Amino acid sequence: MIQVTTEQMAVFVATLSVAILSPGPGVIAVSQGAFALGRRRALTYGWGLAIGASVWCLFALLGLTALFRVAPWTLTALKLMGGAYLLWIGVKMWRHAADPLPDPAQGRARGLWAGMALNLSNPKPALFYSAVLLSIFPGALGLADKGAIYAVALSVELLFYTALASLMALPVLRQRYFASKFWIDRGAGFAIAALGLSLILRP
C-alpha cells in the first residue's frame, strides 16, 4: 500500500521540474540533436536521457548514496569516469562542428543507449535525488512507495525531454541552426566539455 501523500508527490514533481530546467549536458545534447537530426531521431535520444536520469533516482531509492558515504572513493571514481566521458563527447562535438549536416535517416547514432550513457556519466543526480527524497519523504519508504516515486520521476523526465526535443526541432529553430551550425556545435561541445572538466576538478 502506498503511504506517500499527494502533497508530497506534488512537491517532488515541482522540485524535480525546477532542477531539470537548469542547463546540463542532457539539455545541451538533446537540443543540438534536435536541431541537426530533427524531432524523430532526437526523441529517441531524449528518451534515453530521461531513462538515464531516472536511473539515478532508482539508485538513490535503493541506497546508493549510503555506499558513497561508506566508501567515498566510489563517488570519486564515478565522477572521474563520468567527467572523462563528458569531455570525450564535448571534444567530438567540437571537432565535428565543421562537418556537413548528417542525413536525418542515416545520421550519426544518437539512440536510446547513447542518451542513457550521457546522463549516467554524471553521478550528481544521485546526490540530488537522495537529498530531495530525504527532505520530502522523511519516513521509511515501502516497496510500493519507492515504485510510485520512481514512476513519477521517470514520467517527469520523459515529459521534459519529449517537450524539449519537440520544441528544438521546430522548423524556425532548425533554420537558425542551419545558418549557424559551426558556432552552435562548437558552443555545445565547449559547454559539455566544461561540465565534464568541472565534474573532475570540483571536490
Side-chain angles (χ1 to χ4, degrees):
M1 182 177 177
I2 297 176
Q3 301 294 324
V4 296
T5 66
T6 303
E7 290 76 14
Q8 286 175 316
M9 281 297 195
V11 173
F12 178 58
V13 169
T15 304
L16 181 55
S17 299
V18 171
I20 291 175
L21 287 173
S22 62
V27 171
I28 296 167
V30 79
S31 298
Q32 194 267 348
F35 289 151
L37 301 174
R39 178 177 175 274
R40 185 177 63 84
R41 290 182 64 85
L43 276 177
T44 305
Y45 186 62
W47 293 336
L49 287 162
I51 294 169
S54 74
V55 167
W56 286 120
C57 176
L58 183 61
F59 285 166
L61 287 167
L62 296 176
L64 179 66
T65 47
L67 173 63
F68 291 160
R69 285 193 294 271
V70 174
W73 67 267
T74 57
L75 176 58
T76 302
L78 273 174
K79 287 172 66 177
L80 289 174
M81 290 187 293
Y85 181 72
L86 290 178
L87 271 171
W88 178 68
I89 292 291
V91 168
K92 278 184 64 178
M93 290 178 73
W94 178 281
R95 289 180 60 191
H96 289 287
D99 290 358
L101 282 167
D103 183 333
Q106 306 174 21
R108 284 173 297 208
R110 283 197 185 180
L112 194 76
W113 293 109
M116 288 179 64
L118 184 68
N119 261 352
L120 286 173
S121 69
N122 182 6
K124 285 185 177 180
L127 302 176
F128 164 78
Y129 271 115
S130 294
V132 168
L133 293 174
L134 285 172
S135 62
I136 298 176
F137 310 104
L141 295 172
L143 188 60
D145 295 317
K146 292 179 179 180
I149 291 169
Y150 175 72
V152 168
L154 176 59
S155 298
V156 172
E157 298 277 4
L158 284 170
L159 181 62
F160 171 76
Y161 281 107
T162 297
L164 182 63
S166 300
L167 175 65
M168 294 305 179
L170 289 174
V172 63
L173 295 179
R174 294 193 74 200
Q175 287 169 7
R176 295 195 176 189
Y177 167 75
F178 296 154
S180 308
K181 175 186 180 298
F182 177 82
W183 296 111
I184 292 174
D185 286 5
R186 279 277 167 102
F190 177 81
I192 289 180
L195 288 167
L197 193 60
S198 71
L199 188 59
I200 293 172
L201 297 179
R202 193 176 301 167

